């Protein structure tokens, strides 16, 4: 199914930054034309006005002078425009120009004090706020930022996953750490969560695959950078698609439908059964570990016995397992070992710190 009617993803597109009046007009016009041609609906037009850049000599955005141009795009095409805000003053300026969809960027997201100031400025007002993940891979920091807007009574809060800075030389600009946005989705099932494959990938060649992964995982939409002439872009040139490329790509994405399915329900019933057994077995295992602990203590035997643990690890491996399952075991078994050791300590912790 391509863009099935049962589940319409939220599409956000537009340039990294407003660079001039003509560039922003052209961006909006071309995106509009492509949407008409392909039967797509653009939910929001994005464009940065204040750009937090690493180096002071980089293009840092045109600031307030760009806002009337964006207000014009909004009026001419009937598409809400969204802008990154870094300070309460930015919020007030956007409001003044009728721009009520804002996003909090990854850099601002690492500073809860600044996020709170923005939340206080939008309090009880009809803003839509997109909360991007902070640069650091810290779910609590991200959810804390989201809570600030929920507590400020903002009705339209959405999360945006743009990957995490990890300083590793990977092909992707940022580490996806998919488990983090998935945990966020589980915590806030009703809140739309979008992916920003542009900042996540940093290079257009990786965008289609990442966009598809996000939709397949059940993300509710995509925010993507789109520039009339990406090679001339003043920021993030390598990751911006042309409007034609954007529309082509979006039209080719598979959007999973969210409907009950008989085959799926049958497998879930099996899974439920297995989970019950697994839970009981793990608990039973921990109780045996407690017994072993008493024996070791009574007989003055060491808690950690590496050869014994090696035998346990071997027990879990089997030639029929695939690579993916082996990777799971590589993470799971050390955790099991760690907890078994914890239970064998006199001062075993009963609560998480
Ligand atoms: C952006 O979307 O232009 C941007 C700067 O994003 P991020 O905060 O995710 O780097
Ligand atoms: Mn950008």
């Amino acid at each position: 199914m391509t863009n099935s009617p049962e589940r319409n993803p939220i599409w956000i597109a537009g340039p990294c930054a407003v660079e001039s009046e003509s560039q922003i007009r052209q961006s909006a016009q071309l995106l509009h034309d492509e949407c008409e041609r392909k039967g797509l609906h653009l939910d929001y037009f994005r464009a940065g006005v204040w750009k937090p850049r690493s180096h002071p000599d980089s293009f840092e955005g045109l600031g307030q002078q760009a806002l009337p141009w964006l207000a014009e795009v909004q009026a001419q095409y009937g598409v809400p425009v969204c802008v990154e805000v870094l300070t309460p003053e930015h919020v007030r300026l956007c409001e003044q120009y009728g721009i009520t969809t804002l996003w909090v960027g990854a850099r601002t997201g690492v500073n809860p004090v600044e996020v709170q100031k923005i939340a206080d400025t939008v309090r009880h007002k009809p803003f839509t706020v997109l909360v991007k993940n902070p640069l650091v891979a810290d779910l609590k920091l991200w959810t804390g930022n989201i809570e600030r807007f929920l507590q400020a009574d903002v009705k339209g809060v959405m999360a945006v996953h743009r990957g995490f800075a990890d300083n590793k030389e990977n092909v992707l600009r940022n580490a996806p750490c998919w488990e983090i946005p998935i945990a966020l989705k589980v915590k806030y099932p009703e809140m739309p969560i979008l992916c920003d494959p542009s900042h996540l990938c940093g290079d257009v060649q990786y965008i289609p695959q990442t966009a598809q992964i996000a939709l397949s995982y059940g993300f509710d939409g995509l925010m993507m950078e789109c520039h009339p002439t990406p090679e001339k872009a003043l920021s993030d040139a390598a990751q911006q698609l042309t409007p034609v490329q954007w529309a082509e790509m979006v039209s080719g994405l598979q959007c999973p439908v969210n409907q009950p399915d008989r085959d799926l329900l049958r497998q879930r019933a099996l899974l439920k059964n297995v989970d019950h057994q697994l839970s009981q077995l793990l608990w039973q295992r921990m109780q045996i570990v407690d017994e072993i602990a008493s024996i070791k203590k009574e007989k003055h035997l060491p808690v950690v016995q590496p050869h014994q643990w090696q035998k346990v690890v071997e027990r879990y491996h089997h030639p029929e397992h695939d690579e993916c399952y082996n990777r799971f075991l590589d993470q799971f078994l050390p955790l099991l070992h760690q907890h078994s050791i914890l239970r064998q300590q006199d001062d075993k912790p009963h609560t998480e710190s």
Side-chain angles (χ1 to χ4, degrees), residues 137-289:
D138 180 345
L139 176 64
K140 284 187 179 158
L141 189 55
W142 194 5
T143 56
N145 290 343
I146 287 169
E147 287 296 333
R148 292 173 198 280
F149 289 99
L150 295 177
Q151 288 178 13
D153 195 30
V154 174
K155 301 287 181 264
V157 180
M158 299 192 235
V160 183
H161 170 233
R162 47 80 74 207
F164 303 91
D166 67 353
N167 278 329
K168 295 205 182 102
E169 296 288 315
N170 295 323
V171 288
L172 300 181
R173 178 176 174 186
N174 289 293
C177 307
W178 291 105
E179 67 284 3
I180 295 182
I182 288 167
L184 187 114
K185 180 95 190 139
V186 170
K187 187 171 163 71
Y188 300 103
E190 304 305 327
M191 178 183 299
I193 173 159
L194 316 183
C195 180
D196 169 351
S198 309
H199 289 88
L200 202 162
C201 298
D203 189 318
V204 287
Q205 66 176 306
Y206 306 115
I207 290 179
Q209 195 195 2
T210 303
Q212 186 58 67
I213 292 173
L215 291 183
S216 305
Y217 278 156
F219 278 62
D220 301 283
L222 300 172
M223 175 194 253
M224 277 182 282
E225 290 189 335
C226 199
H227 192 286
T229 46
E231 67 285 359
K232 293 189 189 148
L234 300 183
S235 54
D236 289 349
Q239 69 190 37
Q240 304 210 53
L241 299 158
T242 63
V244 171
Q245 288 171 330
W246 174 81
E248 278 283 309
M249 198 204 77
V250 160
S251 311
L253 292 170
Q254 307 279 315
C255 305
V257 282
N258 224 350
Q259 275 176 341
D261 177 279
R262 279 237 302 271
D263 294 335
L264 187 64
L265 291 177
R266 203 171 307 124
Q267 292 302 324
R268 283 202 174 138
L270 295 176
L271 206 56
K272 184 174 166 189
N273 203 6
V274 171
D275 281 336
H276 280 309
Q277 294 181 45
L278 208 51
S279 168
Q280 275 177 356
L281 283 172
L282 281 172
W283 176 233
Q284 209 176 318
R285 192 186 196 285
M286 292 302 177
Q287 288 172 311
I288 297 173
V289 166

Side-chain angles (χ1 to χ4, degrees), residues 40-88:
L40 295 165
H41 174 78
L42 185 66
D43 294 277
Y44 299 92
F45 179 81
R46 61 146 287 153
V49 165
W50 298 282
K51 303 295 301 173
R53 307 297 302 282
S54 305
H55 198 279
D57 294 341
S58 306
F59 173 64
E60 292 186 319
L62 297 181
Q64 185 176 351
Q65 66 166 309
L67 295 177
W69 309 333
L70 289 174
E72 215 177 293
V73 166
Q74 206 163 239
Q76 186 171 348
Y77 300 100
V79 58
V81 166
C82 58
V83 164
E84 175 170 359
V85 289
L86 295 96
T87 66

Side-chain angles (χ1 to χ4, degrees), residues 286 289-290 333-344:
M286 292 302 177
V289 166
D290 289 350
L333 293 177
L335 186 69
L336 191 63
H337 192 208
Q338 206 180 313
H339 277 264
S340 300
I341 293 169
L342 275 180
R343 295 190 75 87
Q344 297 184 48

